[in-house]
Amino acid sequence: MAQDKSLTAKERSQQLALERRAARLAAVQALYQWEQTGGKPEAIISEFGTHRINRKAGEESELPPADRKLFAELVRGVAASVGELDDMLSAVISDEWSVERLESILRAIMRCGAFELAHRQDVPPKVVISEYLAVADAFFGEKETGMTNGILDKLAQTLRPGELAGKGSGRGGQTAR
């Protein structure tokens, strides 16, 4: 992230939160591409970095500026641990659903959320859930967003129970990390 020295600390924090949200959105899109094409994660990271999230002043892009480090960590981490993540998700998805039955984008959202809950202890569970609800909102309606909330909340209760004040953590008012 290029820091603008004219920004206040609050503005920098808000800019960082927006860049992290954009990184999560881009990671979901990259993981969708990875699953659909079977491409190598590093090649997809490079492509996104060059053509989609690497903007210079005045250039057009499909996506807003993103935290490239977080983007790459999510894509690499999910791709490397997809089996583990799917097992975690399967344990909390209702009996009539399976990870394989989820639509590809929804599966990518769930995997990213599961990865952050399992491997990013620096990000509070409420923030993880809230961020991936925002990503789900970008692609889907209320039904899928509600499903995302329920599954990630159950997973957070399982993986990090002491960090949630109570059930239904959902859309906490916390800033993206």
Side-chain angles (χ1 to χ4, degrees):
M1 172 179 93
Q3 297 245 342
D4 184 343
K5 298 201 187 297
S6 66
L7 296 177
T8 66
K10 182 178 179 180
E11 290 168 332
R12 279 193 301 274
S13 177
Q14 290 172 337
Q15 181 180 4
L16 179 59
L18 290 173
E19 289 178 7
R20 287 179 176 158
R21 179 164 287 173
R24 290 176 172 108
L25 177 63
V28 165
Q29 292 174 326
L31 288 162
Y32 172 83
Q33 180 176 325
W34 169 71
E35 183 176 19
Q36 296 302 307
T37 66
K40 295 190 184 323
E42 290 305 319
I44 294 169
I45 290 168
S46 178
E47 177 200 329
F48 267 70
T50 302
H51 300 291
R52 300 187 187 184
I53 62 175
N54 187 25
R55 250 200 299 190
K56 295 180 177 81
E59 285 185 346
E60 292 293 320
S61 177
E62 294 177 32
L63 299 170
D67 179 332
R68 293 174 59 97
K69 183 178 175 185
L70 176 60
F71 165 75
E73 177 185 353
L74 291 171
V75 174
R76 284 183 190 115
V78 170
S81 57
V82 72
E84 167 198 356
L85 298 172
D86 286 357
D87 288 347
M88 283 190 268
L89 291 166
S90 291
V92 296
I93 290 178
S94 68
D95 291 337
E96 62 262 4
W97 281 92
S98 67
V99 174
E100 295 78 26
R101 271 191 71 197
L102 296 173
E103 195 278 328
S104 298
I105 287 283
L106 191 56
R107 190 168 38 249
I109 292 167
M110 299 286 188
R111 286 172 173 167
C112 280
F115 176 81
E116 286 205 58
L117 288 170
H119 299 285
R120 297 278 324 265
Q121 300 300 312
D122 60 313
V123 183
K126 285 184 179 185
V127 172
V128 172
I129 294 166
S130 179
E131 286 298 299
Y132 288 103
L133 290 180
V135 173
D137 277 342
F139 292 104
F140 298 106
E142 202 172 297
K143 179 182 172 191
E144 293 85 354
T145 301
M147 178 187 281
T148 301
N149 187 33
I151 291 170
L152 292 181
D153 187 65
K154 276 185 183 177
L155 188 58
Q157 295 285 347
T158 301
L159 294 175
R160 295 162 68 177
E163 295 181 51
L164 294 173
K167 287 199 170 235
S169 57
R171 293 186 185 272
Q174 304 213 8
T175 308
R177 287 194 183 204

